Amino acid sequence: MRVLVAGIGNVFLGDDGFGVEVARRLRVRGGLAQGVELVDVGIRGMHLAYQLLDGYDGLLLIDTMHGDGPPGTVYRVEHDPDAPARGSGLNGHGMDPGSVLALLDELATVNGVHRPVGRVLVVGCEPASLDECMGLSEQVAAAVEPALRAVDELLTLLLDRPTEQTDDGPERSAARRVT
């Protein structure tokens, strides 16, 4: 069983550093299960896509994301691997998780690899500000601890049932909330 946990974000854009901070705290805390690899991807989304070609049973991405909640809201989302991929844009220093996964699909096809990643889950946080500055806003900084708990819970889910999909009803989209 191989699971990759990837913190994504740009620490020079305020709350966009959320995924990087959560990954840092996970590394300091330690104690990840055997088979779980932790990386701070930062803004190197293209490198993440290439790393995923090595094959993982599960992927847990940590990043900011826009949902319907106030700043600091922590989301748990599952990526639907059968949803149509949107274009990758091939921006090596600014790829969001959706673009990374689209690029992964393209790279896998070119290399003759069928679905190099099993289940893909995302822990996201609603940002307050993505302006040029260092440091998280008060709301997003307060969301780091709940995000760490969400990571722990979703890792347990990935390790117990790596390929099981959640069923949130008949609607299928590129992302579904994980319960």
Side-chain angles (χ1 to χ4, degrees), residues 3 10 26 37 50 58 67 79 86 95 116-118 125-126 135 147 157 163:
V3 174
N10 185 339
L26 284 168
E37 183 180 343
Y50 276 103
H79 172 73
R86 60 175 211 227
M95 296 174 66
V117 177
C125 181
E126 186 78 42
L157 189 66
T163 58

Side-chain angles (χ1 to χ4, degrees), residues 121-132:
L121 303 178
V122 179
V123 172
C125 181
E126 186 78 42
S129 172
L130 299 175
D131 294 335
E132 289 185 20

Side-chain angles (χ1 to χ4, degrees), residues 107-164:
L107 292 172
T109 300
V110 167
N111 288 288
V113 176
H114 177 69
R115 213 172 259 174
V117 177
R119 195 170 186 187
V120 179
L121 303 178
V122 179
V123 172
C125 181
E126 186 78 42
S129 172
L130 299 175
D131 294 335
E132 289 185 20
C133 70
M134 291 189 68
L136 302 176
S137 67
E138 188 176 311
Q139 302 97 317
V140 172
V144 171
E145 279 299 320
L148 290 167
R149 288 191 297 275
V151 166
D152 290 339
E153 292 167 8
L154 293 180
L155 277 176
T156 299
L157 189 66
L158 281 171
L159 293 168
D160 288 347
R161 299 177 304 229
T163 58
E164 180 181 308

